[in-house]
Amino acid sequence: VVRPFRELPGNWRTGWLNLFHFWQEGGFHNVHNIMIHKFQKFGPIYREKLGLYQSVNIINPQDAATLFKLEGNYPERFMVPPWVAYRDFRNKPYGVLLKKGEAWRSDRLVLNKEVLSLKVIDCFVPLLNEVGEDFVKRVRVQIEKSGRGRWTADLTNELFRFALESVCNVLYGARLGLLQDFIDPEAQKFIDAVTMMFHTTSPMLYIPPSMLCRINSKTWRDHVQAWDVIFRHADKCIQNIYRQLRLDRENTKEYTGILSSLLVQDKLPIDDIKSNVTEMMAGGVDTTSITLQWAMFELARTPVVQDQLRAEIFAARQAAQGDMLKMLKAVRLLKAAIKETLRLHPVAVTIQRYTTQEIILQDYFIPAKTLVQVGIYAMGRDPKFFTKPELFDPARWLKMDSTYFRALGFGFGPRQCLGRRIAELEMQLFLIHMLENFKIETKRGVDIGTQFDLILIPDKPIYLTLRAL
Ligand code: HEM
Ligand code: 2DC
């Protein structure tokens, strides 16, 4: 029998009171743990209301499958209100991140060809590879300086620079020089602005866009300032390439990056190209860098796995004879290690969709236009879906009898992460070079928790030791 919507478990009847309790409990840095707690309390489905926003939350891969199979051709996720509010406030165009319907789909189809398709991702490999090699050189210099054959540091900012250098090399086909000693202060300001933008989003997550500009709180002002820096700096980078492209008319055959492909093709209006390239530039900093930091942390804590990966990489290097594309096809365990990192440390606490039609989840009737969230952080740590979830065991992805709707770190379907292929290649190449050159270690017994800052991040600095092999 199908049970009605109003019988769904959860404290969804008291929206503003919930939001108040949420604030009191320091909720906005703890969304992920609150969700785990609610799944324990209410079971695999619960309904919730925060402020004006209602949602249904699910954890079971089967239910995720039901949701995604009916998402249709124009899937919509939760629109982060402060991000919408900023663009409306400053009159900036939306990119795919915030577009809907046909406007989203037509942009997205053009972008998929230049950012996600098999045809084009091979062109990214040399561009991302050289940045990975330069990171290794930089670590070597630091080890040299220490005089002890090793370097211990909180790598957060180094990895932010690595990540920005990487996306910019594929977007613009140009190096920014962020892995050298003297760093363009504008680029550092951009990096800090992205972190600030995420940080100031979470306290405003459940306040409707129209209210935000009116209250003019400190958080809102900081948020606007952060986006201003992001848009201004991205615009500068884009203008540079635009000018160059008009100067040297003789078009070489060589690949010169996503932006010039989009400009030459002329399938999107310049304003849409700009807004999408800005989103990719901002979306490419904290996401991959923090995932890499977690990956190195987990590998430092599980040296057995680290050695297995290194062995796989050495063998792949031998067999490929310097052909990077070939080498990337021979590192299955490494790819599994990235999935495993995102299982325990996803960037996004949930993947959400608005239902396009009535659906049934856990025997409950869910009406159309309901926001349904798949709690991927909670799913990744639940023994019902992953045996011994606390273990960092990349091999589980190769031997599990079912990985069905369990690898959702980049989302799913036509609305999945646009930067997915860039992020995967960037992380694979980084880890290949790091493991070929260094042993990664960390102090034993240091527990690092997770904090919700819109994206999930470590709750304290992670100190890693890199030792020359
Ligand atoms: C969307 C995760 C890196 C740009 C998303 C979504 C997730 C995600 C979960 C939502 C997908 C959905 O709703 O199904 C990640 C992770 C990353 C990463 C885990 C790295 C470890 C990047 C990078 C870029 C990027 C490097 C830029 C090149 C975007 C954009 C969207 C998006 C533009 C919105 C796409 C749309 O709405 O059509 N990402 N991301 N991401 N990501 Fe990423
Ligand atoms: C945050 O309840 C929690 O990839 C909310 O690169 C639901 C929600 C909606 C959209 C998610 C967001 C969460 C986390 C950050 C994500 C975002 C979609 C894209 C974005 C996952 C889970 C991110 C980080 C993009 C950001 C691009 C931006 C800087 C231009």
Side-chain angles (χ1 to χ4, degrees):
V1 290
V2 177
R3 289 170 283 185
F5 191 48
R6 69 184 138 74
E7 279 179 21
L8 268 171
N11 303 321
W12 50 270
R13 287 169 204 273
T14 49
W16 292 104
L17 198 64
N18 273 346
L19 195 59
F20 178 71
H21 287 309
F22 186 71
W23 269 67
Q24 265 192 331
E25 293 163 33
F28 23 67
H29 289 306
N30 215 18
V31 170
H32 51 298
N33 287 319
I34 293 176
M35 276 193 96
I36 289 188
H37 181 81
K38 290 198 170 166
F39 282 121
Q40 278 162 359
K41 183 166 166 192
F42 296 123
I45 187 164
Y46 67 86
R47 188 171 162 192
E48 163 173 80
K49 189 174 176 192
L50 288 170
L52 294 173
Y53 297 100
Q54 287 232 30
S55 67
V56 168
N57 296 269
I58 56 177
I59 190 172
N60 196 310
Q62 289 293 338
D63 295 335
T66 308
L67 178 70
F68 290 126
K69 282 180 180 169
L70 294 172
E71 70 175 358
N73 291 329
Y74 306 89
E76 276 177 33
R77 74 171 78 83
F78 180 65
M79 296 258 256
V80 176
W83 297 357
V84 176
Y86 171 80
R87 282 150 182 83
D88 294 351
F89 178 63
R90 285 280 194 244
N91 230 330
K92 300 269 187 200
Y94 296 180
V96 279
L97 181 69
L98 299 173
K99 279 191 181 181
K100 296 184 189 188
E102 201 46 60
W104 167 77
R105 197 172 155 83
S106 55
D107 269 29
R108 180 77 202 217
L109 290 176
V110 175
L111 289 169
N112 282 349
K113 285 204 197 78
E114 299 307 318
V115 185
L116 216 50
S117 72
L118 282 170
K119 177 199 106 197
V120 81
I121 57 174
D122 286 357
C123 301
F124 300 160
V125 171
L127 295 169
L128 294 167
N129 194 45
E130 63 180 33
V131 183
E133 285 174 346
D134 286 352
F135 193 87
V136 166
K137 283 189 200 140
R138 181 161 174 80
V139 175
R140 288 214 175 276
V141 171
Q142 299 294 332
I143 292 179
E144 213 66 37
K145 268 197 214 157
S146 81
R148 295 203 199 106
R150 61 184 144 93
W151 180 39
T152 301
D154 169 7
L155 296 177
T156 309
N157 201 41
E158 299 281 342
L159 290 168
F160 283 167
R161 291 172 185 167
F162 162 79
L164 183 57
E165 185 84 11
S166 294
V167 258
C168 286
N169 208 19
V170 293
L171 286 173
Y172 309 124
R175 296 297 299 266
L176 304 181
L178 300 178
L179 301 177
Q180 283 152 13
D181 284 332
F182 297 98
I183 289 139
D184 176 10
E186 294 285 307
Q188 188 62 52
K189 261 179 71 185
F190 180 87
I191 290 172
D192 297 339
V194 177
T195 306
M196 178 56 96
M197 180 277 291
F198 283 129
H199 179 72
T200 51
T201 303
S202 52
M204 302 188 291
L205 196 52
Y206 302 108
I207 305 174
S210 58
M211 275 170 80
L212 281 168
C213 329
R214 257 180 272 147
I215 48 179
N216 197 35
S217 66
K218 167 111 172 61
T219 311
W220 169 248
R221 288 196 308 270
D222 289 347
H223 191 69
V224 169
Q225 206 179 26
W227 275 122
D228 282 346
V229 172
I230 292 169
F231 273 89
R232 208 180 312 126
H233 188 64
D235 209 64
K236 249 193 206 169
C237 296
I238 294 166
Q239 288 303 335
N240 264 337
I241 300 296
Y242 192 64
R243 231 176 297 128
Q244 270 177 36
L245 210 66
R246 291 207 302 190
L247 287 180
D248 39 74
R249 280 256 157 238
E250 12 99 45
N251 240 323
T252 43
K253 268 171 276 163
E254 212 187 324
Y255 183 71
T256 52
I258 293 168
L259 176 59
S260 42
S261 301
L262 289 170
L263 288 170
V264 168
Q265 271 197 21
D266 203 24
K267 281 188 189 146
L268 284 183
I270 183 76
D271 271 351
D272 289 311
I273 294 181
K274 272 193 191 172
S275 55
N276 282 301
V277 169
T278 304
E279 284 178 359
M280 286 191 272
M281 195 174 161
V285 184
D286 297 40
T287 48
T288 51
S289 55
I290 285 166
T291 308
L292 284 172
Q293 203 176 28
W294 282 122
M296 289 193 284
F297 178 66
E298 293 293 355
L299 291 172
R301 292 201 302 181
T302 28
V304 184
V305 173
Q306 188 177 149
D307 290 341
Q308 284 170 347
L309 289 188
R310 197 172 284 115
E312 182 189 68
I313 290 165
F314 280 133
R317 171 78 69 190
Q318 287 281 309
Q321 298 285 317
D323 180 347
M324 246 317 153
L325 290 175
K326 200 170 161 198
M327 188 169 172
L328 286 168
K329 291 198 178 90
V331 286
R332 286 174 74 223
L333 194 64
L334 178 69
K335 291 173 185 172
I338 293 170
K339 275 192 195 168
E340 184 70 345
T341 304
L342 286 171
R343 173 180 70 82
L344 286 167
H345 311 286
V347 170
V349 62
T350 64
I351 309 293
Q352 337 74 44
R353 292 292 183 266
Y354 287 93
T355 51
T356 52
Q357 52 186 286
E358 301 162 355
I359 64 171
I360 290 163
L361 294 169
Q362 295 285 330
D363 292 336
Y364 287 99
F365 175 89
I366 313 292
K369 298 187 179 160
T370 307
L371 180 65
V372 180
Q373 310 208 71
V374 184
I376 59 166
Y377 179 87
M379 184 198 288
R381 287 163 184 256
D382 191 323
K384 283 201 271 315
F385 313 119
F386 296 94
T387 46
K388 299 217 180 130
E390 68 288 351
L391 289 187
F392 182 78
D393 176 21
R396 76 167 78 232
W397 293 98
L398 307 178
K399 59 188 182 217
M400 260 194 313
D401 30 277
S402 172
T403 54
Y404 189 69
F405 283 88
R406 279 167 173 77
L408 294 171
F410 291 99
F412 176 84
R415 192 108 209 196
Q416 70 180 283
C417 177
L418 176 63
R420 178 175 190 158
R421 296 294 173 232
I422 296 174
E424 287 174 340
L425 284 174
E426 178 186 321
M427 295 192 291
Q428 288 160 15
L429 289 162
F430 176 94
L431 290 171
I432 285 176
H433 291 300
M434 290 299 280
L435 289 166
E436 281 182 323
N437 286 279
F438 311 108
K439 205 168 168 210
I440 308 166
E441 297 166 357
T442 193
K443 232 165 112 183
R444 278 173 50 195
V446 182
D447 237 335
I448 309 281
T450 299
Q451 180 180 312
F452 176 80
D453 234 13
L454 193 80
I455 56 171
L456 296 171
I457 61 173
D459 69 351
K460 51 180 94 61
I462 296 179
Y463 288 93
L464 295 170
T465 300
L466 303 173
R467 197 185 288 276
L469 271 182

